[in-house]
Amino acid sequence: MNLSIRRFLPLAGAAALALSAASVTFATEIYATNGVAINGYDAVAYFTDHKPVKGSDKFATTYKGATFYFASATHRDAFASNPGRYAPQYGGYCAFGTAEGHKAPTEPQAFTIVDDKLYLNYNDDVAKTWRSDIGGYIKKANANWATVKAQPSP
C-alpha cells in the first residue's frame, strides 16, 4: 500500500485553519457575553427603575447581532420599537475605554445616564474616573467610536 502524505495535507491544512479560526476574536459592535448584551440586564430598566435589573430570556429580542434580555414584555417591546433610545452607547463597551481608544468589557452596575443616554463602564472605579469629566470623555469617545468599533472584541 503506497499512501502519499500529500493526499492528507489538504485535510491537515483545513483542520489547522478551522482551529485557528476558532481562536480569532472578531470585531462586534455590541459587547455581549455568550451572545447576550449587558450580561443579561434589562436596558430599559436603567431608564425606568434607575438601576440595573436582571432580564429574563423569556423577554428577549435581538439588536445588531446581540440578544438583549428584559424584565418584562413591556420593556422588551419598548426596546424593540426604539432600540437607539435604550441601547447603551458605544455598543455597551466601556465608555471610558472608548474615550481612551480601545474596547473594554463592562459591568452592569457601573453605569451613568447622561442626556437620556446610557453609558456603561468597566467597573465602579473606572465609572468614578468617567464621572470626573463626563462631557470631555463623551466628546473623546464619540470621536473614537468609529475606529474603536472596528477593533477586535476583548
Side-chain angles (χ1 to χ4, degrees), residues 75-87:
H75 282 193
R76 179 201 58 215
D77 296 348
F79 182 91
S81 70
N82 191 1
R85 157 96 173 78
Y86 298 105

Side-chain angles (χ1 to χ4, degrees), residues 30-31 35-38 40-41 43 56 59-64 66-70 76 79 86-88 91:
I30 303 290
Y31 172 64
V36 178
I38 319 177
Y41 281 76
S56 167
F59 309 110
T61 192
T62 302
Y63 175 63
K64 293 188 177 182
T67 301
F68 284 77
Y69 289 168
F70 300 92
R76 179 201 58 215
F79 182 91
Y86 298 105

Side-chain angles (χ1 to χ4, degrees), residues 10-138:
L11 293 175
L17 181 60
L19 288 174
S20 66
S23 65
V24 171
T25 303
F26 295 98
T28 58
E29 188 171 343
I30 303 290
Y31 172 64
T33 304
N34 298 321
V36 178
I38 319 177
N39 293 313
Y41 281 76
D42 181 334
V44 175
Y46 286 100
F47 297 91
T48 60
D49 298 17
H50 310 290
K51 64 181 181 180
V53 174
K54 194 73 169 166
S56 167
D57 61 357
K58 293 178 190 174
F59 309 110
T61 192
T62 302
Y63 175 63
K64 293 188 177 182
T67 301
F68 284 77
Y69 289 168
F70 300 92
S72 69
T74 302
H75 282 193
R76 179 201 58 215
D77 296 348
F79 182 91
S81 70
N82 191 1
R85 157 96 173 78
Y86 298 105
Q89 299 301 293
Y90 319 120
Y93 289 98
C94 178
F96 178 78
T98 302
E100 294 292 302
H102 62 88
K103 285 183 176 176
T106 54
E107 293 182 358
Q109 84 289 346
F111 78 97
T112 308
I113 294 180
V114 179
D115 295 330
D116 221 23
K117 294 181 180 181
L118 174 61
Y119 298 89
L120 298 171
N121 286 113
Y122 178 74
N123 62 26
D124 292 330
D125 288 336
V126 170
K128 286 180 189 173
T129 302
W130 163 259
R131 290 181 189 121
S132 72
D133 183 16
I134 291 174
Y137 289 126
I138 288 173

